[in-house]
Amino acid sequence: MEPILLGAPWLIAHRSMLGINQPYKITLNDHDYVLWQNQQGEVFALDNICPHMQAPLSDGWICQQTDVIACPFHALEFDGQGRLHNCGKVGSQPLLTPLEIVIKDDCIWTYGGYTPKIPIPDLIPKVSAGMSFLGVAGEKSIHGTFLDSISINYDYNHQSGTHRELFGIKANRIPVFEHDGYWAKVVQELDRDDSTWNDILGNPVILTAPKTYTGTLEYAFPSLTTFRADFPIGEVLQVHVLYPETATQTKTFVLVYSKPKHPILKLLLGRFVLSAVATVVEQDTRSIETSYPRQPAKIRLPNEEIMFLAQKLYREW
């Protein structure tokens, strides 16, 4: 396939997703790679295919003493530079191509081997300053194109339908919409319906959510959508990540941060947010995967300008 958005920076993982000495497979623009992290926090990335008999290295294991990855077929060992280790000897030439990665604030970025077109965004450290990292939620491969997936991330009108049962949004006002190049910002004023007894029994933490609250979304095209809101028990931040696995498959996961009003509330806030994020991703995934092939829209909703902006940046990339 032709690479999607050639030269774009892609956030492919957070350190916490790799574990220690555990192979982790990713697919980017129809190409498979294997990543692993050693106990010192060094991260390695290679083509996922063994040059001997084409076994997936991600099904193998990591040798802790040498940080090499072993092929599951014949236990052939390769280091992070792609060199073969055999009987105590190291090959002089790489047999596998390393994937060039950049690690910033525990986030693992790559251009997929292509010349960078735009810098890696600094949005995450800016919006997460003073907050604690809670974890990753909603890791999923979506059967849908990257354009379809990114469109729903830039479409905040869908909360009223897709996420109706989860959030009960009855009104969504947009007092702020700004954009500059590949960055954009939206401020939402959201009104919630009254919670029913079923809502409360299913999720008692919903009692802490105000009837009206403000959310701030910031975007770094093409990979990041952030949402930050202040609730009575503390601030929460969601960083929604997207990258193209294939022409028809898109990977997503969400980095979750929080700043509780009191330390004792951290666990409660974390459980609530991580659970809600996982549900949001499931609902968005279903919306994408059950939609019919895209046609020109015959209806236009208010405040769709930011979605049109994302589609324009995609088409004109």
Side-chain angles (χ1 to χ4, degrees), residues 83-270:
R83 301 175 302 182
L84 176 66
H85 286 228
N86 187 26
C87 300
K89 297 181 180 180
V90 181
S92 59
Q93 297 295 327
L95 300 178
L96 289 164
T97 303
L99 173 66
E100 185 176 349
I101 57 176
V102 178
I103 301 178
K104 299 179 65 174
D105 302 294
D106 290 331
C107 294
I108 303 168
W109 294 84
T110 185
Y111 287 93
Y114 296 102
T115 302
K117 180 172 180 176
I118 60 175
I120 292 172
D122 59 358
L123 180 59
I124 294 177
K126 283 185 176 180
V127 296
S128 65
M131 306 188 82
S132 300
F133 178 68
L134 290 179
V136 177
E139 184 180 358
K140 193 173 186 64
S141 289
I142 303 170
H143 184 66
T145 68
F146 184 77
L147 182 57
D148 289 347
S149 299
I150 200 172
S151 292
I152 201 170
N153 271 19
Y154 279 75
D155 170 23
Y156 38 79
N157 285 308
H158 77 281
Q159 296 176 82
S160 302
T162 304
H163 307 310
R164 182 186 75 257
E165 293 183 1
L166 181 62
F167 296 120
I169 302 300
K170 65 178 182 181
N172 179 7
R173 297 175 296 279
I174 310 298
V176 176
F177 169 39
E178 305 169 356
H179 62 93
D180 181 15
Y182 297 104
W183 169 87
K185 177 180 179 180
V186 167
V187 174
Q188 296 176 295
E189 295 175 350
L190 302 160
D191 296 337
R192 293 179 50 251
D193 275 327
D194 293 329
S195 299
T196 66
W197 280 111
N198 286 336
D199 295 333
I200 296 168
L201 291 173
N203 185 8
V205 182
I206 201 170
L207 290 171
T208 67
K211 291 296 298 299
T212 298
Y213 63 96
T214 300
T216 301
L217 295 108
E218 291 192 56
Y219 302 84
F221 183 90
S223 56
L224 302 180
T225 299
T226 70
F227 175 79
R228 184 164 180 164
D230 191 1
F231 298 103
I233 60 174
E235 286 185 274
V236 297
L237 169 67
Q238 304 168 26
V239 180
H240 291 251
V241 180
L242 291 172
Y243 65 83
E245 293 186 305
T246 69
T248 58
Q249 199 84 6
T250 302
K251 183 65 176 284
T252 188
F253 57 89
V254 184
L255 310 180
V256 183
Y257 301 79
S258 75
K259 185 178 180 181
K261 294 292 175 67
H262 192 280
I264 201 171
L265 297 172
K266 182 176 181 179
L267 180 60
L268 179 65
L269 188 61

